[in-house]
Amino acid sequence: MTPHDTADLDELRQSVADAPERVASASSIAELDVVEADLVGRSSPVGEARKGLGEIKDADQRRATGKAINDIATDLKSLVDARRDAVASAEQAATLMSDAVDVTLAGRRPRRGTHHVVQQTTDEIIDIFVGLGYTVATGPEAETEFYNFTALNIPATHPSRHESDTPYLDYGDKDEEILLRTHTSPMQARYMEQHDPPTYVVVPGKVFRADAVDATHSPVFHQLEGLAVDDGITFGDLKGTLASFAKQFFGSSTKVKFIPHYFPFTEPSAEMHAYTNGKWIELLGCGMVDPAVFDQVGYDAEKVTGFAFGMGMERMAMVRHGITDLRALLDADRRILEQYR
Ligand code: DAH
């Protein structure tokens, strides 16, 4: 339809009279684009009216009608543009809101780790002996039969050499059996071979036995070996050193007693028991280094004497913390382990 007179222009105005409501109801840029096309696009009433302008033969009337149509289009366009600004800033505000970080929210902390109680125990015991002047050494877990037994004066027929106690490895040549060390004592021999006396050393480490897991046994556990060799070391030095260790580790009122025992690599040998938590409990094995061991490693048994001791780290941790089942230490349950921070 092309307006040829005032009545036609009124009709055109009438057809877009609801433009303010239609523009206002568009709530996104996409919706507004559709409304804009309906109002002033090529196929809209305004667009159609423009297309027909050429049909008006009178130049003055054509110019006047063209201007009137343009005025209507300009009004519509400014309505749309105003709404476009409003919708754009509302959309931007919504994006800002949804992307906003709430800095007042409580954070999620990573859980704090802790050393295993056996590691803590080992570290603490090492510290005590370092305080007494000892150095720290470590040795191989896969050991030769020589260092694990022979160098320690353990006879070839000793039952602990049997496969039912010792895990042997199918490794190396058969003249020299390789096994998983059953105690940290082999480091006594290895250390003395490498270092001249005076010797004051502790050796923490993992040891292995052909045992099944129960409340007091595990095929893998940890020991700490101690060795002191010097001029004139006596059994009194052994007792004083280990009693002092027990008081530092279990508390200053801890009483200890030494009960005769037998180990092939010490003579005399003893077990040290301690009185803690209202009862006597066996803590460790110890004794004066047997001269046969000094002979094996090239120390002069006429010149030096010494004492040695070996203790289980799991046992120390259990006595110290009143843990009655070893399996609590093997479990990776953090609810248990976190109690011993
Ligand atoms: N090696 C012994 C064991 O595993 C413990 C031990 C006893 C170590 C007496 C020593 C010692 O150094 O003197 O049962």
Side-chain angles (χ1 to χ4, degrees), residues 182-185 188 209 223 225-226 263 265-266 285-287 308-310:
T182 57
H183 52 179
T184 43
S185 303
Q188 287 189 30
R209 305 257 169 107
Q223 285 188 335
E225 192 80 12
F263 296 106
F265 35 94
T266 44
C286 56
F309 54 90

Side-chain angles (χ1 to χ4, degrees), residues 165-232:
D165 287 325
T166 299
Y168 285 87
L169 297 177
D170 188 9
Y171 182 84
D173 64 63
K174 279 298 168 188
D175 301 340
E176 180 88 293
E177 286 282 2
I178 306 292
L179 47 80
L180 292 176
R181 65 178 177 193
T182 57
H183 52 179
T184 43
S185 303
M187 269 303 282
Q188 287 189 30
R190 284 185 178 276
Y191 194 85
M192 285 190 281
E193 277 182 350
Q194 301 291 323
H195 301 84
D196 290 333
T199 302
Y200 293 89
V201 65
V202 287
V203 182
K206 211 172 264 177
V207 301
F208 307 84
R209 305 257 169 107
D211 275 330
V213 173
D214 66 22
T216 54
H217 293 86
S218 162
V220 183
F221 60 102
H222 301 80
Q223 285 188 335
L224 182 118
E225 192 80 12
L227 176 70
V229 183
D230 208 334
D231 288 341

Side-chain angles (χ1 to χ4, degrees), residues 255-329:
K255 283 181 286 199
V256 295
K257 66 182 178 185
F258 293 83
I259 293 177
H261 201 75
Y262 172 76
F263 296 106
F265 35 94
T266 44
E267 178 61 29
S269 304
E271 273 178 2
M272 184 174 82
H273 293 229
Y275 191 77
T276 59
N277 302 324
K279 57 176 190 288
W280 286 101
I281 182 144
E282 183 215 321
L283 279 190
L284 53 82
C286 56
M288 300 305 290
V289 179
D290 194 302
V293 175
F294 286 146
D295 289 347
Q296 286 281 359
V297 299
Y299 273 26
D300 187 345
E302 297 297 322
K303 289 210 175 100
V304 290
T305 53
F307 64 82
F309 54 90
M311 60 179 102
M313 294 297 96
E314 282 77 1
R315 186 179 191 81
M316 294 294 150
M318 287 168 74
V319 173
R320 162 87 168 260
H321 296 290
I323 300 167
T324 51
D325 194 321
L326 173 64
R327 287 166 290 201
L329 301 179

Side-chain angles (χ1 to χ4, degrees), residues 5-295:
D5 53 26
T6 319
D8 290 344
L9 280 169
D10 280 347
E11 200 179 317
L12 178 60
R13 286 192 189 92
Q14 207 50 52
S15 75
V16 295
D18 61 351
E21 293 90 75
R22 288 165 67 187
V23 168
S25 72
S27 56
S28 70
I29 298 294
E31 279 174 40
L32 197 57
D33 286 342
V34 174
V35 173
E36 181 176 14
D38 285 351
L39 290 174
V40 294
R42 288 175 57 79
S43 326
S44 68
V46 169
E48 294 296 343
R50 275 184 178 134
K51 279 182 216 161
L53 274 176
E55 292 167 16
I56 303 174
K57 298 295 170 236
D58 181 274
D60 285 345
Q61 198 201 339
R62 194 169 60 237
R63 206 176 299 117
T65 305
K67 185 178 180 306
I69 295 170
N70 277 346
D71 288 348
I72 294 169
T74 305
D75 287 352
L76 291 172
K77 191 79 172 104
S78 56
L79 261 181
V80 168
D81 287 347
R83 180 66 186 156
R84 189 180 298 280
D85 286 349
V87 169
S89 49
E91 281 187 358
Q92 194 190 14
T95 308
L96 283 175
M97 282 289 269
S98 65
D99 288 356
V101 174
D102 183 352
V103 294
T104 66
L105 269 182
R108 242 172 272 160
R109 279 171 203 278
R111 290 178 74 158
R112 188 158 62 95
T114 171
H115 278 153
H116 192 277
V117 62
V118 170
Q119 185 65 53
Q120 294 175 32
T121 301
T122 307
D123 290 346
E124 242 183 88
I125 294 176
I126 286 173
D127 279 353
I128 292 171
F129 283 100
V130 166
L132 294 171
Y134 286 66
T135 54
V136 184
T138 55
E141 292 170 3
E143 186 53 282
T144 62
E145 191 174 15
F146 174 79
Y147 284 110
N148 199 76
F149 297 118
T150 311
L152 295 168
N153 198 38
I154 298 174
T157 54
H158 197 277
S160 70
R161 293 199 187 223
H162 199 270
E163 285 181 13
S164 61
D165 287 325
T166 299
Y168 285 87
L169 297 177
D170 188 9
Y171 182 84
D173 64 63
K174 279 298 168 188
D175 301 340
E176 180 88 293
E177 286 282 2
I178 306 292
L179 47 80
L180 292 176
R181 65 178 177 193
T182 57
H183 52 179
T184 43
S185 303
M187 269 303 282
Q188 287 189 30
R190 284 185 178 276
Y191 194 85
M192 285 190 281
E193 277 182 350
Q194 301 291 323
H195 301 84
D196 290 333
T199 302
Y200 293 89
V201 65
V202 287
V203 182
K206 211 172 264 177
V207 301
F208 307 84
R209 305 257 169 107
D211 275 330
V213 173
D214 66 22
T216 54
H217 293 86
S218 162
V220 183
F221 60 102
H222 301 80
Q223 285 188 335
L224 182 118
E225 192 80 12
L227 176 70
V229 183
D230 208 334
D231 288 341
I233 296 259
T234 67
F235 198 84
D237 296 318
L238 177 159
K239 289 173 73 175
T241 301
L242 294 177
S244 156
F245 153 70
K247 285 183 198 302
Q248 286 189 63
F249 188 65
F250 293 108
S252 55
S253 62
T254 306
K255 283 181 286 199
V256 295
K257 66 182 178 185
F258 293 83
I259 293 177
H261 201 75
Y262 172 76
F263 296 106
F265 35 94
T266 44
E267 178 61 29
S269 304
E271 273 178 2
M272 184 174 82
H273 293 229
Y275 191 77
T276 59
N277 302 324
K279 57 176 190 288
W280 286 101
I281 182 144
E282 183 215 321
L283 279 190
L284 53 82
C286 56
M288 300 305 290
V289 179
D290 194 302
V293 175
F294 286 146
D295 289 347

